[in-house]
Amino acid sequence: MREITSKDNSLIKYTARLQSSAKLRREDKRFVSEGLRVSLEALNGGVEVETLFVTDEALSKHGTELKPLIDASREVYRIPQKLMGCICDTKSPQGVVCVLKALDNNIDFGTINNKYILLESIQDPSNLGTILRTADALGVSGVIMTDDCCDIYSPKVCRGAMGALFRVPFIHIPDAPSFIEEFNKTGNSFAAVVRNASQLTDADFSGSCLIAVGNEGNGLKDTTVSACKYKVTIPMNGNAESLNAAIASGILMWEMMK
């Protein structure tokens, strides 16, 4: 185990940039996990750990739990707590940070009776993290995201997903309509809209199917709605015109999976 003490160290600078730059994460196919729990979830999910940074305090407190991470990491560095602040997105770092290789995900769309959620242009990392966590809890088969969704490897998504990022299969697609039209050959697609649609509780989700959820402010694009076989809306008896994207997705997935 080697030691780094300077904030000017090239690896510290690179990790800090990786935390803040979605462009760098995409180009290098690397991302950062913070904290012991999320890092262990990544390891258990088969993610390759390239670099582990750990403080003396964390080693003293979590030595036994850290051993699998230490053994699996290509490089391990002991750093002072003050340097943790340079490479962490949180205000109170736990003393464990990993640089991970991006996941090589795939979804088997040939499997019968699978259920998917398709996200179009979701921009809020907190929403995406919550959707992933809910999909994991409900047993959704996979999450499909258009390329213009927020970065799935952003620190906020990683924290909000609570390890679901490493358990739920996901893919990125260039555009939703083309994907949905192909999916319709073997399954049913549902567009989640606010009005002029069937009640969600009346929908038949038997067989393979997907529900498409749109951008927080604008919803689904018209072309995406048109590509779907059916339109559904969440029954609401109150005065709100719409729901938060993560809340709506949770209700939609619950109804699809029950």
Side-chain angles (χ1 to χ4, degrees), residues 150 177 190 199:
C150 61
F190 299 82
Q199 297 284 295

Side-chain angles (χ1 to χ4, degrees), residues 159-207:
R159 287 198 301 273
M162 293 293 289
L165 175 65
F166 314 116
R167 294 187 293 268
V168 179
F170 65 85
I171 60 167
H172 289 87
I173 57 174
D175 71 283
S178 299
F179 180 88
I180 291 169
E181 288 167 4
E182 186 65 27
F183 184 86
N184 286 341
K185 295 176 181 178
T186 56
N188 289 323
S189 55
F190 299 82
V193 296
V194 175
R195 56 184 64 87
N196 300 323
S198 302
Q199 297 284 295
L200 174 65
T201 49
D202 294 333
D204 179 6
F205 292 114
S206 60

Side-chain angles (χ1 to χ4, degrees), residues 206-239:
S206 60
S208 294
C209 58
L210 69 78
I211 296 179
V213 178
N215 173 266
E216 290 89 346
N218 302 313
L220 291 168
K221 297 175 183 176
D222 291 342
T223 51
T224 301
V225 175
S226 297
C228 290
K229 288 184 179 180
Y230 308 102
K231 294 186 291 183
V232 293
T233 189
I234 298 171
M236 293 188 291
N237 297 322
N239 296 319

Side-chain angles (χ1 to χ4, degrees), residues 21-32:
S21 173
K23 182 175 182 289
L24 182 62
R25 291 192 291 267
R26 285 193 300 271
E27 290 176 348
D28 286 10
K29 293 181 170 54
R30 304 286 186 276
F31 68 108
V32 179

